[in-house]
Amino acid sequence: MIMRIAYGIEVDAPGNDKYISIAEKGLAVFAAALVPGKYLVETFPILRHLPAWFPGAQFKRDGKQWKPDALAVLETPWNMATEMAANGTAPSSIAKTLMERISRLPSEEAAEEEDIARSAAGVIYGGTSLAAPFPG
């Protein structure tokens, strides 16, 4: 239901839908990355300057591996909603409303507002998934 509200996208049965799969992968990334104290860089922020190959820089290697799944949570449903809006087939949704407001902005403001809108819709999508029981 949240996909319909946030993006106007109807999902297939759970376990058989690419959007549900994307959310599960993204949530797994956040669950793994946000364990307090997992990485020494949390205590010593200067370590962020280490090269990825350096011992103790596992956070950089993990981040590089996890980045596509984290970005997919934001980009995949937003891109589909954008495509539906461009085709004139987008049902009423939060994303559609935000896109309509963005389209009336001057171009220099529109790009920044679209990033904010994409993130807001992603929070709705991912955040609601957190409330659901995590599979496995």
Side-chain angles (χ1 to χ4, degrees):
M1 178 159 56
I2 196 64
M3 288 298 291
R4 189 172 347 114
I5 294 167
Y7 298 103
I9 297 172
E10 293 290 332
V11 297
D12 295 332
N16 191 28
D17 185 83
K18 76 176 185 176
Y19 298 104
I20 302 298
S21 176
I22 288 167
E24 288 172 349
K25 286 180 184 177
L27 291 173
V29 165
F30 290 116
L34 298 178
V35 173
K38 181 174 183 171
Y39 299 111
L40 199 54
V41 72
E42 296 173 51
T43 305
F44 302 104
I46 192 76
L47 295 177
R48 73 182 182 275
H49 300 293
L50 291 174
W53 57 265
F54 199 82
Q58 184 65 40
F59 66 95
K60 286 194 167 193
R61 294 185 293 275
D62 289 347
K64 185 176 181 178
Q65 179 184 349
W66 293 335
K67 187 176 181 178
D69 290 333
L71 288 177
V73 172
L74 294 177
E75 294 174 355
T76 304
W78 181 265
N79 291 344
M80 176 55 80
T82 301
E83 185 180 313
M84 290 188 307
N87 294 336
T89 61
S92 182
S93 68
I94 293 169
K96 181 181 177 186
T97 301
L98 292 171
M99 286 178 206
E100 288 170 351
R101 295 177 86 186
I102 291 167
S103 70
R104 294 189 294 268
L105 294 173
S107 61
E108 54 279 352
E109 291 179 42
E112 182 179 355
E113 289 297 319
E114 184 173 357
D115 286 343
I116 294 168
R118 183 183 306 113
S119 295
V123 167
I124 294 167
Y125 171 40
T128 306
S129 299
L130 284 172
F134 193 77

